[in-house]
Amino acid sequence: MKQHNLFAVLAVLAAALAALSACSSSNKSGEHIMVFAAASLKSTFTEIGEQFIADNPGVSVEFNFAGSSDLVTQLTQGAQADVFASADTKNMDKAAEAGLFAGDPVNFASNTLTIAVAPGNPKQIRSFRDLTKPTLSVVVCAPQVPCGSATKKVEDAVGVTLTPVSEESSVTDVLNKVTSGQADAGLVYVTDAIAAGDEVTGVPFPESADAVNTYPIAVLKSSEHQELARKFIDAVTGDAGQHTLSVAGFARA
């Protein structure tokens, strides 16, 4: 009788453990999101992501930071993600035209260009027009990248054409060229210059107002965790997320 009871108890425990394991497995599959975000968002989104995880125990967030145009290419070629945040509306529109979104994108921030130079501005660059000096090595973003598109708008506004030594696929690559001494100057976002701290000096120019980039974010239709993805977007657009973005130098959309 005692042996029979022991087997019964063990059977109940085994069933309970199996149910608990299945429940745990199910929860794990629904508590992870992948966020594709523009390279210029790396610092702020990492911070927002850490707070999001703290506010939602058991949830994990993974990021893929790159140039917005590269991210759109990855997504249209089948890369799996839950959220996409672009550094401009042009690349977001491309993704929308491909039918990638579960709903309309939401604008959450804006950014403008500045000139990043070596600390102390040893080349004495004072204006956008100064970047045309033949003695300077200047780096910009490629035209298809949001910061490259913004650069072209400024060129048109000023009435000059730059002759960069290289065109990079993301704004962080431009910044790295300057901080490593491979270039005298680079056109980056205000937020990137701020994040670089003492590694660069930012040289503002009034014509940057002619090329303000708006940042939109959206949930991807292919996401298996759309509720959690929307929750992350709420974290970005909410007061705490907007404060983090503001401190980094982003303006409101």
Side-chain angles (χ1 to χ4, degrees), residues 59-183:
V59 165
S60 63
V61 182
E62 184 178 352
F63 292 102
N64 176 24
F65 295 108
S68 297
S69 59
D70 287 343
L71 294 174
V72 172
T73 298
Q74 292 174 34
L75 290 170
T76 54
Q77 290 179 350
Q80 292 300 302
D82 301 283
V83 176
F84 173 47
S86 174
D88 67 348
T89 55
K90 181 179 178 181
N91 280 289
M92 185 61 79
D93 289 343
K94 287 181 182 178
E97 289 168 6
L100 297 181
F101 300 137
D104 293 333
V106 177
N107 296 333
F108 66 92
S110 63
N111 214 345
T112 54
L113 294 176
T114 192
I115 303 168
V117 299
N121 194 7
K123 299 292 184 178
Q124 296 298 296
I125 297 169
R126 304 297 183 193
S127 68
F128 187 87
R129 192 177 293 276
D130 283 349
L131 297 178
T132 61
K133 293 178 180 179
T135 55
L136 292 178
S137 58
V138 178
V139 180
V140 301
C141 288
Q144 69 271 20
V145 183
C147 56
S149 177
T151 297
K152 181 63 170 64
K153 290 178 182 177
V154 175
E155 285 181 286
D156 292 342
V158 179
V160 301
T161 300
L162 303 182
T163 53
V165 293
S166 72
E167 296 181 339
E168 304 298 325
S169 61
S170 74
V171 68
T172 51
D173 291 335
V174 173
L175 188 65
N176 288 339
K177 290 282 188 179
V178 177
T179 57
S180 64
Q182 298 178 65

Side-chain angles (χ1 to χ4, degrees), residues 175-243:
L175 188 65
N176 288 339
K177 290 282 188 179
V178 177
T179 57
S180 64
Q182 298 178 65
D184 297 319
L187 282 160
V188 302
Y189 293 119
V190 168
T191 53
D192 294 290
I194 291 174
D198 295 337
E199 291 188 90
V200 300
T201 291
V203 180
F205 54 95
E207 297 88 356
S208 63
D210 294 307
V212 177
N213 276 13
T214 298
Y215 286 56
I217 189 170
V219 176
L220 290 158
K221 188 186 295 182
S222 62
S223 170
E224 296 180 358
H225 318 297
Q226 292 189 14
E227 183 178 348
L228 190 59
R230 290 190 181 92
K231 202 170 182 179
F232 178 82
I233 291 178
D234 289 342
V236 172
T237 59
D239 291 342
Q242 288 295 298
H243 176 71

